[in-house]
Amino acid sequence: MNEGFLTDEQREVLKVATQNADTLSSSPISPKTLLSEHQLKVPAAGKAPTAGIAVRHVRRSHSGKFIRVKKDGGGGKGTWGKLLDTDGESHLDRNDPNYDSGEEPYQLIGSTVSDPLDEYKKAVVSIIEEYFGTGDVDTAASDLRDLGSSKYHPYFIKRVVSMAMDRHDKEKEMASVLLSALYADVINSTHIRDGFVLLLKSADDLAVDILDAVDILALFLARAVVDDILPPSFLTRAKKTLSESSKGFQVIETAEKSYLSAPHHAELLERKWGGSTHLTVEEVKKKIDDLLKEFVESGDTVEAYRCVRELGVSFFHHEVVKRALILAMESRVAEPLIMKFLKEASEEGLVSSSQMIKGFCRLAESLDDLALDIPSAKSFYQSLVPKAILEGWLDASFSNLSNVGGEVQVEDSKLRCYKEEVVTIIHEYFLSDDIPELIRSLEDLGAPQFNPVFLKKLVTLAMDRKNREKEMASVLLSALHIEIFSSDDIVNGFVMLLESAEDTALDILDASDELALFLARAVIDDVLAPLNLEEISSRLPPDCSGSETVRMARSLVAARHAGERLLRCWGGGTGWAVEDAKDKIQKLLEEYESGGVVSEACQCIRDIGMPFFNHEVVKKALVMAMEKKNDSVLDLLNECFNEGLITTNQMTKGFSRIKDGLDDLALDIPNAREKFYFYVEFAQGKSWLLPVFSAQLSPAMVVAST
């Protein structure tokens, strides 16, 4: 280098810089850090070098050295400095030919994991808001169905009610109408039940924002019961899960005492919020009948379709199909018009394919009953189905349904005749309440292989009637189980019922709850053993409504005081609690033994009204005769047998129970065995007992007694 142009001062600066550079080149430490560790050599003149260090960035360490403080906290003794520490800021130029997008700094963006339930709740709010604005039930049903996620439907119930509670009466009425319309088509009884449970549990929170929340929610609850989308038993069951101090408990109390117990409460509740948008199921059915009759008289298809559309119940169009076909069966003159009506309704999209199939399925299920009034019903139906499929207004997939509702198939004449006969027998029983006469009628039919079919018919017919008939059906099942039905008959009958539960629910809205009560009551009445419920459940598909019904029955049986409650589940017309019946039997026998009259004792037994439990009379009478050494009660049993009050089956069961408990009786009554076999010999002489009972008595037992 030519240094001739440098001044002495410049040469001194260059020398110092060269020495510093030599030191830096031998250290792996950052140049800036190293510079801050050593005293910098400065020119003798005391002037700082050109690339000097600002005073505010220099401090003295405890060792006396000058240390340069890094900006932004980087550096320090023995460190590598900040990550990517450079003298100046570097910027990427995207226009640079050597630009590499991989050198761009990464930026982490937070993303919230979506919860399906939260998404569902947001979606249903918009569906409900739109429904409140338009009143279009069909659109709301379609949107809810498109959402899928049926397991979240209880939250829809909660949301639609809670949103309506804070609005006008119009929206409250619309909410009730929507729930009734969606029931059995989009939402089921479990969704309704769980949705109202959620509402009851959140009643305390709702009351914070809505002052009269308790009264409004009680109205919704009572209205759901009146609209047959909630069973009355729900109130009792739900009350047990709530604290008495909670608002939910108050809601149930208000619904029961202020609304459901009032005279004419159904009419009042249906019009509480104006009722202008509400049509009950019966009203819809009547309107369908009227428009079909008017169509047959006028032949005006356009007017008929307009009336169907005005009903605004596209989810119920299967009822239009069913009633139209029944009308065609009743009047062959109307048949061509009805066929035209249904064909064009399908072509125009007024009645959807699924509703058409559902209408045919429901008609098929009721063919046996229709045949009683319309003899040609089955032949008409069998000729109509292939014709409708050929013309294109009934989907061809319907022909593959060989067993719609468990019964639509070609049946032999014996089974058809049996069904016709038993329907008449059951109707007569509901009028007369004469169990012995019904049993005689069944025995005369001589078709024990069809006993499960009888059970299905009995329960199905009772479900569509009042509580009196339901109670009578349960009592009859107990009597039949003792007299002529085996346990397998009972199990098979309930399996048939549960397999067709979904179809039954089309006509009986709370069919699932009713069937659960019949099942639970059968367990309490010893018609079914608890293990039979497991057997029934194993014979059903795991996700069908029948399986849910069995689970519900198990819960009812497992509840506290289940026996007393289930014996009175239909109002307790004849369903005495077992303990009450035992007490009454004991008292009437004691009164008779102390000098009572036979006729009065017989009348007391009749008044108990539990003929299926008369084996308890036999058992207690025999025990009393053993204990008090008074055989006069045998005269009472003889009179009861002669009058038909106690049957041979009941007598045999009573004696069998004594035989099974002889060992225990012998502890208190030493001569119990001798007395028992004396009574057996007496009963055989009077023909009280079935021959099978004598065969069960081993010779060794008889010898031991003597």
Side-chain angles (χ1 to χ4, degrees), residues 558-606:
R560 285 187 65 192
H561 308 299
E564 294 179 9
R565 287 173 179 159
L566 288 168
L567 283 169
R568 294 181 172 86
C569 64
W570 310 126
T574 58
W576 291 93
V578 173
E579 293 304 319
D580 290 345
K582 288 181 179 179
D583 289 342
K584 289 180 178 292
I585 291 169
Q586 186 67 34
K587 288 176 182 176
L588 76 86
L589 289 173
E590 288 174 354
E591 185 176 338
Y592 171 76
E593 194 269 339
S594 64
V597 180
V598 172
S599 59
E600 290 181 0
C602 291
Q603 185 59 46
C604 289
I605 293 172
R606 287 192 190 90

Side-chain angles (χ1 to χ4, degrees), residues 375-673:
S376 61
K378 291 186 179 181
S379 59
F380 172 85
Y381 174 80
Q382 289 167 356
S383 63
L384 173 64
V385 170
K387 181 180 178 182
I389 292 174
L390 185 64
E391 292 180 358
W393 50 279
L394 179 63
D395 195 278
S397 62
F398 181 78
S399 62
N400 297 325
L401 302 176
S402 59
N403 189 23
V404 177
E407 293 183 29
V408 180
Q409 52 187 346
V410 178
E411 300 168 325
D412 59 59
S413 59
K414 187 175 181 181
L415 179 55
R416 286 200 298 270
C417 292
Y418 178 84
K419 289 181 177 180
E420 293 172 3
E421 291 288 341
V422 298
V423 168
T424 304
I425 291 170
I426 293 168
H427 284 311
E428 289 178 357
Y429 166 66
F430 285 155
L431 293 172
S432 67
D433 197 15
D434 191 341
I435 291 178
E437 177 60 29
L438 181 141
I439 291 173
R440 281 193 292 273
S441 298
L442 282 181
E443 289 174 338
D444 291 342
L445 286 178
Q449 70 273 26
F450 296 143
N451 285 347
V453 176
F454 176 86
L455 187 149
K456 180 184 177 184
K457 283 289 181 188
L458 171 67
V459 175
T460 303
L461 289 171
M463 284 168 61
D464 203 24
R465 296 188 172 222
K466 296 181 180 179
N467 283 348
R468 173 182 175 272
E469 284 80 7
K470 293 175 183 134
E471 176 66 25
M472 290 174 69
S474 286
V475 171
L476 178 59
L477 285 182
S478 297
L480 291 174
H481 181 239
I482 293 165
E483 301 284 345
I484 57 176
F485 276 28
S486 68
S487 295
D488 287 342
D489 291 336
I490 303 291
V491 169
N492 292 334
F494 273 109
V495 168
M496 292 175 66
L497 272 167
L498 293 166
E499 285 176 341
S500 61
E502 292 181 0
D503 295 322
T504 306
L506 295 173
D507 293 315
I508 305 168
L509 295 181
D510 54 348
S512 179
D513 296 301
E514 299 276 3
L515 278 175
L517 283 170
F518 272 108
L519 267 174
R521 174 66 179 270
V523 173
I524 295 300
D525 288 341
D526 292 328
V527 175
L528 288 174
L531 286 177
N532 289 142
L533 295 182
E534 299 291 340
E535 179 187 350
I536 291 170
S537 182
S538 68
R539 292 169 60 179
L540 299 169
D543 297 326
C544 71
S545 63
S547 296
E548 175 62 27
T549 300
V550 176
R551 285 192 287 272
M552 197 184 307
R554 283 200 207 102
S555 300
L556 292 171
V557 172
R560 285 187 65 192
H561 308 299
E564 294 179 9
R565 287 173 179 159
L566 288 168
L567 283 169
R568 294 181 172 86
C569 64
W570 310 126
T574 58
W576 291 93
V578 173
E579 293 304 319
D580 290 345
K582 288 181 179 179
D583 289 342
K584 289 180 178 292
I585 291 169
Q586 186 67 34
K587 288 176 182 176
L588 76 86
L589 289 173
E590 288 174 354
E591 185 176 338
Y592 171 76
E593 194 269 339
S594 64
V597 180
V598 172
S599 59
E600 290 181 0
C602 291
Q603 185 59 46
C604 289
I605 293 172
R606 287 192 190 90
D607 291 343
I608 291 175
M610 296 177 72
F612 57 89
F613 201 56
N614 283 345
H615 56 80
E616 184 73 15
V617 177
V618 178
K619 177 192 170 187
K620 286 188 177 294
L622 295 176
V623 172
M624 179 179 288
M626 292 178 185
E627 288 177 338
K628 301 193 175 182
K629 299 179 181 180
N630 184 351
D631 296 341
S632 63
V633 292
L634 296 178
D635 296 333
L636 173 62
L637 293 180
N638 190 49
E639 183 64 24
C640 289
F641 180 77
N642 291 336
E643 289 187 15
L645 187 59
I646 299 180
T647 64
T648 303
N649 285 311
Q650 291 289 307
M651 280 288 190
T652 303
K653 187 167 184 178
F655 272 81
S656 297
R657 291 179 64 197
I658 292 288
K659 178 175 73 72
D660 294 340
L662 269 179
D663 291 335
D664 293 331
L665 279 172
L667 298 176
D668 299 319
I669 309 171
N671 64 339
R673 289 183 183 277

Side-chain angles (χ1 to χ4, degrees), residues 140-157:
S142 175
D143 291 345
L144 189 60
R145 194 182 294 108
D146 291 344
L147 271 184
S149 305
S150 61
K151 61 182 177 180
Y152 297 138
H153 284 350
Y155 293 95
F156 172 81
I157 310 297

Side-chain angles (χ1 to χ4, degrees), residues 657-701:
R657 291 179 64 197
I658 292 288
K659 178 175 73 72
D660 294 340
L662 269 179
D663 291 335
D664 293 331
L665 279 172
L667 298 176
D668 299 319
I669 309 171
N671 64 339
R673 289 183 183 277
E674 297 172 17
K675 296 296 293 183
F676 174 67
Y677 288 104
F678 169 76
Y679 298 148
V680 170
E681 186 177 353
F682 180 85
Q684 288 172 336
K686 297 288 186 179
S687 302
W688 291 356
L689 305 176
L690 294 170
V692 69
F693 179 77
S694 300
Q696 292 172 353
L697 296 175
S698 65
M701 293 172 64

Side-chain angles (χ1 to χ4, degrees), residues 291-300 327 331 333-334 337-338:
L291 74 87
L292 287 172
K293 289 175 182 176
E294 186 176 339
F295 166 69
V296 169
E297 291 176 1
S298 66
D300 190 342
L327 186 58
S331 172
V333 177
L337 281 172
I338 292 296

